[in-house]
Amino acid sequence: AALQKVLRQVEHEGQKRVKSGFNEINFTLGVFNCFLVIYTFAALPQHFWILYIVEVLIMMPFKYMEKAKQRPLKGQGYFLDYCWIMNFAGVF
């Protein structure tokens, strides 16, 4: 009985992740991106800044829109974190 309850809860959490956008394609693209960044940083360090700027210009607006939709509070304050400030400073 307890095991069935745990399995139902795991299934429920999995469904929540799928609804929020986690799927096999997004996961695969994320892993591929990690390898691309590592390869570029190791093999072509002189071109890493190009990859960084392209990714930041694509990913930051998506992250901002995602945070802007959060409730009950807007999530834009998230970007005041030190690591985000340094990312903005690195691009601009």
Side-chain angles (χ1 to χ4, degrees), residues 25-39 55:
I25 293 171
N26 288 345
F27 180 78
T28 303
L29 290 174
V31 171
F32 174 74
N33 182 54
C34 288
F35 286 121
L36 177 64
V37 168
I38 291 168
Y39 173 78
E55 287 196 2

Side-chain angles (χ1 to χ4, degrees), residues 3-64:
L3 183 58
Q4 291 296 327
K5 185 177 179 182
V6 169
L7 289 174
R8 279 194 303 273
Q9 185 63 31
V10 168
E11 184 65 30
H12 176 69
E13 290 297 319
Q15 291 301 321
K16 283 188 349 186
R17 298 281 187 262
V18 169
K19 287 180 184 176
S20 69
F22 184 81
N23 58 41
E24 294 169 1
I25 293 171
N26 288 345
F27 180 78
T28 303
L29 290 174
V31 171
F32 174 74
N33 182 54
C34 288
F35 286 121
L36 177 64
V37 168
I38 291 168
Y39 173 78
T40 304
F41 191 74
L44 306 165
Q46 69 274 19
H47 299 298
F48 180 74
W49 67 274
I50 298 169
L51 176 66
Y52 182 79
I53 288 177
V54 168
E55 287 196 2
V56 165
L57 292 176
I58 292 170
M59 292 181 187
M60 277 194 181
F62 284 114
K63 189 69 170 176
Y64 185 83

